[in-house]
Amino acid sequence: MSVEERWLSETQARAWSQFIRTSQRLEQRLDRELKARHDLSHTQYEILVRLAEPRTESGNVRMTDLAADLVTAKSAATYQIGQLVDRGLVARVKCPEDGRSTFVCLTEAGRALLERAAPDHLARVRELFLDTMSPAELTGMTAALERTCDRIIEARERS
């Protein structure tokens, strides 16, 4: 392997560094603001969003599916779900067909909090992220990130 193959080009290094710095700073900022305004972490907000999406007739989502959606370890998702259960924002429901599986569903209190938090959160997402790009840039970035995500999933499935 040559030196050129081992190291990133200047353009690649700049893109990678900027992606990491931006994504971490954005995540931290959104997390801090959700905690200050709505007493929710960004991960907890994302859980409420996932549970509000109509997936099943019952509105229940398997814990394992939720953890995979959040791109987090099941133990981390379980911890966050526990915090939300303690606050009455979500509920755990045993799967009637499989006693080993647990479902999670959004409570009315959780839906109400999500409805209060979403406008603030989405305004910040627009201000800090989406509004910085033209429609063409947004389309290009989305396509590139989708390809990257697909490649990561394929690599995980191969290993």
Side-chain angles (χ1 to χ4, degrees):
M1 178 180 283
S2 71
V3 171
E4 291 80 27
E5 292 171 334
R6 281 194 357 223
W7 298 104
L8 300 177
S9 71
E10 185 178 327
T11 301
Q12 291 170 329
R14 184 171 171 234
W16 177 243
S17 176
Q18 198 58 50
F19 170 78
I20 295 299
R21 289 176 58 220
T22 302
S23 61
Q24 289 176 343
R25 286 181 177 164
L26 182 61
E27 175 68 26
Q28 290 169 354
R29 178 73 180 261
L30 294 173
D31 188 68
R32 191 170 50 249
E33 289 184 13
L34 279 165
K35 284 178 183 171
R37 293 180 179 173
H38 302 285
D39 195 26
L40 279 176
S41 70
H42 194 222
T43 300
Q44 291 170 340
Y45 175 85
E46 289 300 322
I47 289 169
L48 297 181
V49 168
R50 298 294 190 295
L51 294 175
E53 294 170 352
R55 296 175 182 218
T56 64
E57 221 172 277
S58 66
N60 297 337
V61 177
R62 282 187 195 276
M63 278 288 296
T64 51
D65 295 340
L66 184 58
D69 256 6
L70 296 169
V71 193
T72 189
K74 189 173 184 246
S75 60
T78 300
Y79 174 78
Q80 295 295 334
I81 293 291
Q83 299 288 307
L84 294 170
V85 167
D86 291 347
R87 293 177 57 193
L89 302 173
V90 303
R92 289 188 181 106
V93 180
K94 284 287 180 196
C95 175
E97 298 87 33
D98 178 5
R100 298 171 296 163
S101 294
T102 302
F103 287 114
V104 182
C105 64
L106 192 60
T107 65
E108 286 305 313
R111 187 172 307 281
L113 179 56
L114 179 60
E115 288 174 4
R116 287 191 308 275
D120 290 341
H121 178 68
L122 297 177
R124 294 304 275 170
V125 168
R126 282 186 190 94
E127 176 191 349
L128 297 173
F129 182 67
L130 299 172
D131 291 348
T132 68
M133 292 176 263
S134 70
E137 289 171 324
L138 189 58
T139 299
M141 184 209 58
T142 302
L145 291 174
E146 286 170 344
R147 287 191 307 272
T148 302
C149 189
D150 290 346
R151 183 173 284 185
I152 292 165
I153 291 167
E154 289 168 8
R156 182 183 64 210
E157 290 171 354
R158 282 194 308 266
S159 60

